[in-house]
Amino acid sequence: MAEADGVRRRDFINIAAVSAAGVAGVGIVVPLVSQMSASADVLAASSTEIDISSIQPGQAIKAIFRKQPVFVRNLTPHEIAEANKVDVSSLRDPQTLEERTKEGKENWLITMGVCTHLGCVPLGAGEGEPKGEFGGYFCPCHGSSYDTAARIRKGPAPKNLEVPEYAFTTDTVVKIG
Amino acid sequence: MARILSILVGLFFTVALAWSFGKGAYQQITEPPAATAEHEFHLHPKEVSFASDGAFGKFDRQQLQRGFQVYKEVCAACHALRHVAFRDLAALGYNDAEVKAIAKGFQVPVYNNATGEVETREGVATDYFPPVLYGGQGTPPDLSLITKARHDGPAYVYSLLTGYQDQPAALLKKFPDSKTPDSLHYNPYFANLNLAMPPPLTGEGQVTYGDGTKATVDQMSKDVSAFLIWTAEPKLEKRKQTGWPVLGFLLFATILGYMSYRNIWAGKKH
Amino acid sequence: MSFPWAKEYKPSHPFMQWMDDRLPLPRLVYNSVGGGYPVPRNLNYFWNFGFLAALCLVLQIVTGIVMAMHYAANTQVAFDTVEQTVRDVNWGWMMRYAHANGASAFFVVIYVHIFRGFFYGSYKAPREMVWLLGVVIFLLMMATAFMGYVLPWGQMSFWGAKVITGLFGAIPFVGEPLQQWLLGGFAPDNAALNRFFSLHYLLPFVIVGVVILHIWALHIPGSSNPTGVEVKSESDTVPFYPYYVAKDGWAIGVFAILFCTALFFFPNALGHPDNYIPANPMSTPAHIVPEWYFWPFYAILRAFTQDFFFIPAKLMGVLAMFGAILVWFFLPWLDRSPVRSGSYRPLYKKFFFFGLIPAMAVLFYCGGAPAEEPYVMLSQIAALYYFAHFLIVIPIVSAIEKPDPLPFSITESVLGEDEAAKLAPAPSATVA
Ligand code: HEM
Ligand code: FES
């Protein structure tokens, strides 16, 4: 009887020792995995200020925010009307132009220039680039077309182009982020 | 045969060494190396302690802020801090608005693509402390890593700041050629005794501390040294705080490992 | 090969059987570090250091791969990327300190491992190949560590690179072009930094390869032991698993405690402050020294201060420094004593403890000290003994020494008696 207890106690210690080694192994893996995520300098809240005074209606520019392009577009009244004409409930990612712009500044469409399919930069912001079937942006990678509110209308992308956090610091300067 | 060969090779090296030794010893006796002022008058850093010392050491945030003030108002005139970003100062207990305000107080260089000129703009939190232009004598080292880049660094910085003095008469008597040149300053804690940096902290109240601490030279020196411990190793606290649980766990696991080892070998004489 | 009583690998699960028929990797592991490898039962703790060395190699490779993820080998930014890693990367400070102190830990372990070999005669037949491969590993480690130390591109990195490649400059005729070829320029710069990074990443994997050969060669005759008497019967051995797995396991714990104490509380104690100053090709630090694990050899290099006949002092120093390690390659043939273990060699033991160990201690100490008296003279005496020890003392001692009587077998040395001894002829030194 005492013998059996001894055996059980010994097994217990061996199992405990092996488990402790396992815990140590997991403890080592945690920092090894975590070191690959974005470092403090990358995460440090960064913001971009853009001067929009020279963007004429119908024009757009590309700026950089967090190492990715942002499109700033000055919509023409016609483009605004086009966007508002669409039946929102028919959209893949239903949103109105109003929801995607700031009050009183509906002509300023500010979105990330990153296709929501697999991340290419859609055409349409640069001079002379095709704007696609719906007059907004066209992603040449796999053929996603966005309309004048940068909403997805056709092609594989699941969502509208993302609207980053931004604010007008003056009438001619926007601060993104 | 192999044995003879090996002994011959052995003799080659040992005789060459004996020859070097003999000649060296002879020179040592006939022309002993002259004593130098550095050798005799250089002092090791003073004993001084900081809140961050020791295995349980923690930064004294209040002191770091005071030290930062000394750096900003005095040292920053000549010394840069290139590895530190303004955002890092949050670790000293400043809030976001304070960090932004500090950053704004510094002008950082930007290259203007249109004109090809380097211009400056106000700093933002993500900027690093900008380079410092210095046209004077000597090259003031960057201070970010200074407490790790010198033996006994924190005490060294403190000793250097509080160590300026007149050149001892004994030194001049023994080494008349070693008089400190006019443009330099005698400081026995500096490796070659004569330092281009004029005493930066000269009198009480040179900075006005917000927390009411009396700004003596000694206090300012300690505070700025503490600040420079932080700039050199901002993760010091985290490191020590990680160390204890890790060691505790390892001790526990090792004891289990030892018991398991004893179990397995029980009854097996070895 | 193994002993006839070694346990045979028997796959218990059908999948393991399937595997064994196709790629018998589990069998290989079983026979190398499992129940299928019989090991002398009387190993002392000096035998744990081989396993610890392997652990250190893994530690260096893992932390090194992490460092390489954040490092850029360019003289403009190398220093800053290392600082960035320490300051901003998640756990970067820990990875960096683990890698830098890991190199030191690796050398501590390896030095103990090597000196275990010196004392217990582990280099002797039939284990010469194990020993030779070990010396190759040591040389590769030195090269790896040297090039790694250059990467952060601090003052010591730069001047270390300059001085060490300068050694090759001492070689007559080809020296200077050789140095230029090594650096890819007149002085260490981008070309050198990039190739050092490339090689620093490569060599550890070469080391892994040589380590595999080292262990393979070891498994042919099996491990030696503190008596130096070869295994004779099953009662002399225990299976590696679980016996030595348990013993190595808890030794790892002790190692980890010591290592983590250094890592978390004294991470810069073994480093040099000057390497926190970015490289400056215009100004040499006042007191340049390599990393501590090179100190004995650095002391030997500096001990040659006079030209010797037509050989310049510089060349003598370089020859001696390399010679000091190369002589280890010849050790199995310099030491002709039929007895392996220093425990049974009264004369050799004296020279080991009162000659070699103090000489090494002095060389370690002087290599880290400034090139001044009395350190130079001390290192000259110690270096003199060092060479005499291997090239003169060992051959002579092994010829004239009368060894102490050996136990008949490992079992007898442990238990005081061995059943097999009664059937066998009386022990004699040559059997060992
Ligand atoms: C035998 C194995 C190894 C040894 C002995 C070794 C040794 C060293 C040493 C002494 C340093 C300088 C430490 C310092 O002060 O920073 C270093 C740095 C470095 N090593 Fe290794 N290392 C090994 C394996 C590796 C491997 C496998 C890699 C990459 C796959 C690697 C990547 C690096 C990097 C990127 C640095 C520069 C970062 C730094 O300075 O901390 N090492 N190594
Ligand atoms: S990435 Fe734009 S359509 Fe695929």
Side-chain angles (χ1 to χ4, degrees):
Chain A
M1 197 56 222
E3 170 62 13
D5 276 355
V7 170
R8 219 172 299 145
R9 202 188 121 249
R10 273 184 235 149
D11 285 348
F12 172 73
I13 289 174
N14 294 349
I15 291 167
V18 171
S19 318
V23 172
V26 174
I28 292 169
V29 168
V30 170
L32 286 177
V33 171
S34 136
Q35 57 89 15
M36 281 179 52
S37 52
S39 56
D41 55 317
V42 173
L43 289 180
S46 55
S47 54
T48 304
E49 290 202 349
I50 305 167
D51 181 355
I52 56 172
S53 57
S54 59
I55 309 171
Q56 300 304 319
Q59 283 188 343
I61 60 155
K62 295 185 198 179
I64 293 180
F65 173 60
R66 292 204 172 143
K67 312 270 168 192
Q68 302 203 89
V70 208
F71 294 158
V72 183
R73 183 158 175 170
N74 190 350
L75 299 175
T76 60
H78 175 70
E79 284 171 331
I80 295 175
E82 282 285 297
N84 288 336
K85 226 166 56 194
V86 179
D87 171 13
V88 173
S89 63
S90 73
L91 294 174
R92 187 176 298 165
D93 183 7
Q95 261 183 329
T96 61
L97 178 64
E98 215 164 286
E99 285 165 353
R100 294 170 60 72
T101 52
K102 299 273 174 214
E103 208 181 326
K105 305 258 183 208
E106 277 83 5
N107 60 322
W108 291 106
L109 177 66
I110 300 181
T111 61
M112 297 305 294
V114 181
C115 178
T116 57
H117 180 221
L118 295 171
C120 293
V121 180
L123 300 171
E127 191 107 22
E129 286 177 0
K131 297 188 171 162
E133 235 176 285
F134 299 89
Y137 299 106
F138 172 69
C139 183
C141 288
H142 318 92
S144 291
S145 293
Y146 298 88
D147 65 13
T148 53
R151 293 173 297 201
I152 180 66
R153 297 294 290 277
K154 197 172 169 186
K159 295 230 173 255
N160 303 337
L161 289 187
E162 188 196 333
V163 177
E165 232 173 83
Y166 69 90
F168 283 86
T169 47
T170 70
D171 266 351
T172 57
V173 177
V174 217
K175 188 168 164 219
I176 303 187
Chain B
M1 184 57 212
R3 199 165 286 167
I4 292 173
L5 201 69
S6 108
I7 291 174
L8 284 179
V9 175
L11 284 173
F12 170 73
F13 284 114
T14 49
V15 171
L17 278 163
W19 172 242
S20 283
F21 176 81
K23 264 192 105 169
Y26 177 76
Q27 273 169 4
Q28 191 70 11
I29 294 162
T30 53
E31 30 187 309
T36 61
E38 290 100 283
H39 227 111
E40 290 190 16
F41 288 88
H42 177 254
L43 297 178
H44 285 291
K46 304 177 191 177
E47 287 288 336
V48 52
S49 62
F50 294 95
S52 54
D53 289 351
F56 293 103
K58 279 200 169 132
F59 290 121
D60 170 351
R61 302 268 174 323
Q62 207 59 46
Q63 183 178 38
L64 297 189
Q65 294 200 3
R66 291 198 303 270
F68 171 57
Q69 190 184 349
V70 176
Y71 167 76
K72 194 172 73 166
E73 294 179 19
V74 183
C75 324
C78 305
H79 294 276
L81 206 57
R82 58 194 276 265
H83 293 291
V84 183
F86 297 116
R87 65 184 156 82
D88 293 335
L89 294 173
L92 304 195
Y94 293 114
N95 62 31
D96 278 358
E98 287 169 317
V99 169
K100 274 189 189 150
I102 292 168
K104 227 173 163 164
F106 284 81
Q107 290 290 315
V108 300
V110 275
Y111 177 79
N112 186 326
N113 278 318
T115 62
E117 310 247 336
V118 177
E119 297 163 358
T120 59
R121 62 162 168 77
E122 279 172 359
V124 296
T126 47
D127 285 324
Y128 284 77
F129 279 81
V132 173
L133 301 173
Y134 177 81
Q137 190 183 15
T139 23
D142 184 279
L143 292 185
S144 332
L145 284 163
I146 200 79
T147 53
K148 287 207 286 194
R150 298 289 183 274
H151 278 289
D152 203 0
Y156 172 80
V157 172
Y158 166 76
S159 308
L160 199 73
L161 291 174
T162 53
Y164 287 91
Q165 53 191 256
D166 291 332
Q167 210 169 14
L171 188 155
L172 288 173
K173 200 161 147 233
K174 194 154 177 202
F175 306 98
D177 293 343
S178 300
K179 186 169 164 25
T180 301
D182 283 344
S183 54
L184 300 182
H185 308 270
Y186 184 79
N187 191 324
Y189 298 98
F190 190 63
N192 69 18
L193 306 180
N194 301 311
L195 179 54
M197 170 169 77
L201 298 173
T202 48
E204 197 168 314
Q206 194 172 344
V207 303
T208 310
Y209 284 141
D211 65 357
T213 306
K214 207 157 134 211
T216 59
V217 171
D218 189 76
Q219 185 68 41
M220 290 185 289
S221 306
K222 258 202 204 112
D223 291 347
V224 79
S225 307
F227 171 67
L228 293 173
I229 297 176
W230 174 79
T231 60
E233 180 118 13
K235 295 288 165 60
L236 178 145
E237 244 172 30
K238 171 134 199 235
R239 166 161 68 73
K240 292 176 180 177
Q241 283 165 5
T242 314
W244 283 110
V246 169
L247 282 186
F249 172 79
L250 284 175
L251 196 65
F252 165 76
T254 305
I255 291 171
L256 276 182
Y258 179 71
M259 286 162 68
S260 166
Y261 154 73
R262 291 295 300 252
N263 268 339
I264 285 167
W265 282 78
K268 196 62 154 177
K269 258 185 105 181
H270 59 282
Chain C
M1 192 224 87
S2 192
F3 301 109
W5 57 87
K7 279 189 270 177
E8 157 101 17
Y9 174 66
K10 287 199 200 70
S12 46
H13 194 274
F15 172 74
M16 296 308 261
Q17 180 65 56
W18 183 90
M19 188 71 181
D20 194 45
D21 293 338
R22 286 156 183 83
L23 180 70
L25 197 60
R27 176 181 294 271
L28 182 73
V29 171
Y30 184 85
N31 289 339
S32 313
V33 290
Y37 180 41
V39 188
R41 63 194 290 178
N42 62 336
L43 301 188
N44 61 31
Y45 281 104
F46 286 108
W47 266 260
N48 288 82
F49 284 80
F51 200 90
L52 288 179
L55 181 78
C56 288
L57 181 57
V58 173
L59 172 78
Q60 284 310 88
I61 290 181
V62 170
T63 54
I65 287 173
V66 171
M67 289 307 289
M69 287 184 188
H70 305 285
Y71 174 79
N74 180 300
T75 56
Q76 297 290 312
V77 298
F79 187 91
D80 294 2
T81 59
V82 174
E83 267 309 305
Q84 189 96 0
T85 309
V86 172
R87 286 162 191 267
D88 286 333
V89 169
N90 301 302
W91 299 100
W93 55 272
M94 190 166 91
M95 297 299 162
R96 202 244 167 140
Y97 283 148
H99 196 70
N101 286 287
S104 284
F106 201 171
F107 276 93
V108 171
V109 167
I110 282 293
Y111 275 119
V112 175
H113 191 64
I114 292 173
F115 276 74
R116 184 279 313 264
F118 285 146
F119 184 76
Y120 290 107
S122 308
Y123 46 83
K124 289 189 185 183
R127 295 181 189 79
E128 301 98 319
M129 192 50 83
V130 185
W131 175 258
L132 298 182
L133 290 165
V135 182
V136 170
I137 294 172
F138 184 64
L139 290 171
L140 287 169
M141 274 175 65
M142 293 179 99
T144 308
F146 158 66
M147 289 189 276
Y149 196 54
V150 175
L151 303 183
W153 208 244
Q155 272 290 63
M156 282 297 167
S157 303
F158 180 90
W159 293 99
K162 183 133 190 183
V163 168
I164 300 299
T165 53
L167 296 179
F168 294 89
I171 301 170
F173 311 115
V174 295
E176 214 169 305
L178 181 62
Q179 185 183 355
Q180 249 187 48
W181 176 77
L182 286 170
L183 290 174
F186 305 108
D189 198 22
N190 256 330
L193 183 59
N194 271 291
R195 67 190 57 180
F196 283 7
F197 182 45
S198 167
L199 293 173
H200 183 70
Y201 209 137
L202 169 69
L203 287 188
F205 297 94
V206 177
I207 295 177
V208 169
V210 184
V211 166
I212 289 171
L213 298 183
H214 181 77
I215 296 172
W216 185 9
L218 173 69
H219 281 65
I220 306 295
S223 298
S224 182
N225 68 87
T227 66
V229 176
E230 287 294 347
V231 167
K232 292 201 169 82
S233 68
E234 184 165 3
S235 71
D236 288 346
T237 66
V238 291
F240 191 89
Y241 177 86
Y243 288 93
Y244 284 104
V245 170
K247 194 172 175 184
D248 282 329
W250 97 269
I252 288 176
V254 175
F255 170 83
I257 289 175
L258 296 175
F259 179 67
C260 287
T261 305
L263 169 60
F264 291 107
F265 297 103
F266 308 97
N268 291 305
L270 293 171
H272 198 291
D274 280 341
N275 228 25
Y276 280 111
I277 304 172
N280 176 358
M282 306 305 283
S283 144
T284 310
H287 171 203
I288 96 162
V289 281
E291 290 277 79
W292 70 267
Y293 34 80
F294 294 129
W295 286 352
F297 305 99
Y298 195 58
I300 290 177
L301 172 78
R302 292 193 303 188
F304 291 82
T305 50
Q306 304 292 333
D307 295 352
F308 187 54
F309 297 109
F310 56 91
I311 311 176
K314 181 176 174 188
L315 178 58
M316 256 333 273
V318 174
L319 279 179
M321 189 180 81
F322 287 110
I325 300 171
L326 296 185
V327 65
W328 297 355
F329 278 117
F330 298 92
L331 197 53
W333 298 278
L334 293 173
D335 181 357
R336 309 306 306 226
S337 170
V339 174
R340 234 177 243 121
S341 169
S343 305
Y344 302 95
R345 300 183 57 189
L347 203 50
Y348 176 79
K349 197 181 341 191
K350 287 203 183 75
F351 281 103
F352 181 85
F353 285 118
F354 302 113
L356 186 62
I357 295 290
M360 276 312 277
V362 170
L363 288 174
F364 257 116
Y365 184 74
C366 294
E372 286 166 11
E373 299 305 351
Y375 308 115
V376 177
M377 280 156 85
L378 279 176
S379 44
Q380 284 162 339
I381 299 173
L384 192 150
Y385 181 77
Y386 181 94
F387 284 104
H389 181 86
F390 287 104
L391 292 163
I392 302 173
V393 171
I394 284 187
I396 293 179
V397 164
S398 61
I400 63 172
E401 178 182 55
K402 184 179 173 302
D404 292 340
L406 290 170
F408 165 75
S409 69
I410 294 171
T411 307
E412 188 194 275
S413 82
V414 173
L415 302 178
E417 60 176 330
D418 182 352
E419 289 304 315
K422 302 194 180 110
L423 315 166
S428 80
T430 41
V431 192

